[in-house]
Amino acid sequence: MSDDDTAAAAPRATSEENRHASWLELFFDLVAVAGVAQIAHLLHGVPDVSDLGLYALLFLAFWTAWIVFTLYANVASEHTHVRTVLLAMFGMAVMAAAVPGVHEGDDQHARVFALAYVLIRGLANRAWQHRRQILVDWPAAQMSLGVIPWVVSLWAHDPMRHWLWALGIALDLYVTFAVSARDIVEHQEARERHDDRPARRGSEASPSLARSQAEHLSERLGLFVLIVLGEGVAQVVEGLSDAEWDKQLYMLAVAAFVLLATLWSLSFGHGYAGVPHLAAGVLPARAALPLHCFVSGCLAALAAALGAAAEHLETLPDATRWLLCASLAGYFLLSGLAWLGRAERERRWLLSVALPCCVLPLMLAAFGGRVRTVGVVWLLVLITLWPTLYERRAAKSPEGAVRTGS
């Protein structure tokens, strides 16, 4: 084993380290900027159901590729292999570049996207093997079951190729929730009890169990959400730059900015790791990570819809209005799920905040066909402001101790 590999296999300190994202990790996250932008562009124009399905599929694949190496760097810390991360970064850049061709049904681009994904997952598996560690928080990061359909898809065509990709993502989710930490620990203990090769154990230690460093991981997850919100700003700027500037456009620009700023406040001022109303430590990583993925996906879809709004200043097309409103409703639905994980919670908050914030955007989508675009966005701003206003009012109430999920 080389000196480089020996360093990578060094045991991780079990205590929490108060560290921040490294320059390498921040450089790696730049690929997420490009990937989110490319995938969000799939929802430009007037997206249909197939566009939404492809968007969800590619976003899940890209987020999975990002999270497996985010977790690797999180656990490996200063022992992270720079070359490994840079290779993964290049693979994700290739995935991002192939997205438009995948949307257009180009076989070559689709195969390149799938091949890059397979190689990234294989690279992650190899990195964990070198570390001789088993990641308890996200078993799919180093298991290959979900990659098999992607390998098969290299010889398939649309739409079968997309169904195979969806199967691969579903298998990853199954592994994540079906393989518990106890199963991993018991399997490891049984393996060590029945290992009758002490000489080999002395020369090459059995794999150890590893857990993510919570504070550092929350920072990386929060940075990803910031990237998505930044994409929302970029989409709005792009849409406004090509439109004729008038009073109506100014009002829309202000509304879009206030909406994104309010979502930022909910995700970080009233949430954790970018997930609104999630508190630190109330959910295990294998439950919090899917929440983060779906929240990010909703925000990226909302960003695409805001960009399209600038192109339809009179009224929004039905598909765009549904995308905008349903994305916000999904965001608040996930916020409610995060709030349910709290040990202390009030049913009053669920009925007074979470439920209306989920239902009202859908009602606006269904019955707001004649509402001007600016009016739709400002109504969504009011809905988004309601959780913060409710919590401030509750804090000033005579009870003072009412738990509102903040």
Side-chain angles (χ1 to χ4, degrees):
M1 183 177 290
S2 65
D3 292 340
D4 195 21
D5 289 339
T6 302
R12 180 181 66 86
T14 56
S15 60
E16 281 287 335
E17 298 177 9
N18 186 21
R19 66 184 182 92
H20 298 285
S22 67
W23 293 115
L24 175 63
E25 290 170 315
L26 294 174
F27 187 36
F28 179 76
D29 285 345
L30 288 178
V31 185
V33 177
V36 170
Q38 289 284 68
I39 295 171
H41 274 76
L42 297 179
L43 300 178
H44 275 200
V46 183
D48 55 22
V49 175
S50 62
D51 292 328
L52 289 172
L54 185 61
Y55 163 81
L57 181 58
L58 298 188
F59 188 91
L60 283 166
F62 192 83
W63 181 89
T64 300
W66 176 82
I67 196 62
V68 295
F69 274 94
T70 295
L71 288 167
Y72 164 66
N74 173 269
V75 173
S77 187
E78 67 271 15
H79 301 295
T80 300
H81 281 188
V82 175
R83 287 173 299 176
T84 300
V85 175
L86 291 179
L87 283 172
M89 184 177 177
F90 177 78
M92 290 179 62
V94 171
M95 289 176 65
V99 166
V102 174
H103 185 222
E104 295 169 2
D106 185 281
D107 276 350
Q108 182 179 3
H109 284 77
R111 288 193 179 96
V112 168
F113 184 91
L115 181 60
Y117 179 82
V118 169
L119 293 177
I120 288 171
R121 294 295 301 274
L123 194 63
N125 184 273
R126 178 179 173 83
W128 284 108
Q129 287 179 352
H130 280 179
R131 288 196 59 78
R132 305 292 296 164
Q133 287 181 313
I134 298 172
L135 184 63
V136 174
D137 294 334
W138 193 256
Q142 58 196 110
M143 294 186 178
S144 303
L145 181 62
V147 182
I148 296 174
W150 286 82
V151 175
V152 177
S153 74
L154 295 174
W155 291 273
H157 300 278
D158 297 342
M160 178 58 65
R161 176 190 291 120
H162 296 161
W163 285 110
L164 288 169
W165 293 356
L167 175 61
I169 298 295
L171 288 174
D172 277 336
L173 291 175
Y174 170 77
V175 167
T176 296
F177 293 107
V179 181
S180 66
R182 179 177 298 179
D183 294 334
I184 297 175
V185 171
E186 291 178 350
H187 174 75
Q188 180 65 20
E189 289 177 348
R191 180 178 177 180
E192 291 179 353
R193 284 196 303 268
H194 293 88
D195 192 345
D196 56 355
R197 295 172 295 174
R200 174 162 183 163
R201 281 210 311 267
S203 60
E204 185 175 347
S206 298
S208 60
L209 299 179
R211 290 186 180 275
S212 59
Q213 299 177 20
E215 289 305 315
H216 176 261
L217 180 60
S218 71
E219 181 184 31
R220 296 294 306 282
L221 298 177
L223 286 172
F224 189 92
V225 173
L226 282 178
I227 287 170
V228 175
L229 289 172
E231 177 58 25
V233 175
Q235 294 275 352
V236 173
V237 169
E238 181 181 352
L240 296 179
S241 62
D242 295 332
E244 182 180 351
W245 289 16
D246 54 19
K247 181 179 179 180
Q248 191 167 250
L249 192 67
Y250 296 148
M251 293 177 62
L252 177 63
V254 174
F257 180 79
V258 173
L259 178 60
L260 292 171
T262 307
L263 290 171
W264 165 81
S265 177
L266 285 175
S267 292
F268 294 94
H270 301 265
Y272 178 74
V275 179
H277 295 107
L278 177 66
V282 299
L283 291 177
R286 65 177 64 206
L289 287 175
L291 274 179
H292 173 270
C293 175
F294 298 141
V295 163
S296 301
C298 287
L299 288 176
L302 184 140
L306 283 177
E311 302 172 4
H312 304 280
L313 289 178
E314 293 301 321
T315 57
L316 290 172
D318 290 345
T320 304
R321 188 179 68 257
W322 270 102
L323 176 64
L324 181 63
C325 296
S327 298
L328 189 64
Y331 175 86
F332 281 113
L333 174 62
L334 295 163
S335 171
L337 293 177
W339 174 84
L340 287 174
R342 293 173 177 267
E344 298 178 354
R345 55 182 183 267
E346 292 287 339
R347 183 179 300 177
R348 179 180 174 184
W349 184 90
L350 186 64
L351 297 176
S352 301
V353 178
L355 185 61
C357 286
C358 290
V359 173
L360 290 177
L362 296 178
M363 292 181 63
L364 181 60
F367 304 108
R370 296 185 179 181
V371 180
R372 283 182 172 271
T373 299
V374 174
V376 171
V377 179
W378 274 113
L379 287 172
L380 294 181
V381 169
L382 293 177
I383 294 171
T384 308
L385 285 171
W386 172 237
T388 303
L389 296 176
Y390 176 88
E391 292 170 8
R392 289 180 179 177
R393 188 183 69 172
K396 294 178 181 180
S397 65
E399 294 81 2
V402 175
R403 299 180 183 91
T404 61
S406 62

